[in-house]
Amino acid sequence: MYDERLTAPLTWWLFPLGSGLSFGLIFYLFGTVPGLVAFIAGGAAAAVVLSSYGSARIRVVQGLLVAKDARIPVEALGTAYPLDREEAFAWRTHKANARAFMLLRSYIPTALRVEVVDPQDPTPYVYLSTRDPQGLAKALETARAELSPAG
């Protein structure tokens, strides 16, 4: 089993603070209480948005690769290619295929590219930003082996 949460870096949590400060200063013109309420509401709203963006999960469980909302049976997946920083950048820019499923997070430099071998699926590959591409590739290989008749 594999489970990874793609959380935003700690420095990104300064954005909700800045948003709250901006709203607070704008509404401070109407008084101290509106300024304080706007500071709290603006910061909380920005924190919810950031938390939602950073809540993406990648899991390999019960014969499935679950990436955010996608659920892909491991039998439909082919070879997994761990990508270092340079290759990951190439596959999310000039080598990218518009039909591929991509779970991108700009703050994660490494990734895993997995071929889709299901003839019914037009998706050529799955691209997943991950901090542990080798671990995810091994988890997929293990899940595939567990499902095979010899495994």
Side-chain angles (χ1 to χ4, degrees):
M1 184 168 145
Y2 181 89
D3 192 356
E4 179 181 8
R5 183 175 298 275
L6 306 178
T7 56
L10 290 175
T11 55
W12 282 32
W13 289 96
L14 294 175
F15 291 120
L17 179 64
S19 293
L21 218 83
S22 297
F23 278 103
L25 289 173
I26 292 168
F27 281 87
Y28 185 70
L29 295 172
F30 301 107
T32 306
V33 172
L36 185 59
V37 169
F39 171 72
I40 293 168
V48 166
V49 169
L50 182 61
S51 177
S52 173
Y53 179 74
S55 69
R57 287 177 72 183
I58 299 172
R59 295 179 297 162
V60 177
V61 60
Q62 297 178 354
L64 293 172
L65 168 63
V66 181
K68 193 123 173 130
D69 296 330
R71 292 175 159 12
I72 307 164
V74 292
E75 308 92 48
L77 299 173
T79 308
Y81 301 96
L83 306 173
D84 62 12
R85 178 184 295 265
E86 291 78 25
E87 274 297 300
F89 180 76
W91 279 99
R92 70 177 174 260
T93 55
H94 65 276
K95 287 185 177 181
N97 186 320
R99 295 180 304 150
F101 174 81
M102 299 182 118
L103 178 57
L104 300 170
R105 292 296 181 262
S106 61
Y107 48 84
I108 299 176
T110 55
L112 183 73
R113 184 176 64 88
V114 186
E115 294 176 347
V116 176
V117 295
D118 182 359
Q120 300 297 318
D121 192 345
T123 307
Y125 61 88
V126 175
Y127 176 101
L128 303 168
S129 292
T130 176
R131 290 182 176 95
D132 184 14
Q134 286 81 13
L136 180 52
K138 186 171 174 82
L140 288 171
E141 184 180 312
T142 302
R144 224 180 346 255
E146 289 174 355
L147 293 176
S148 71

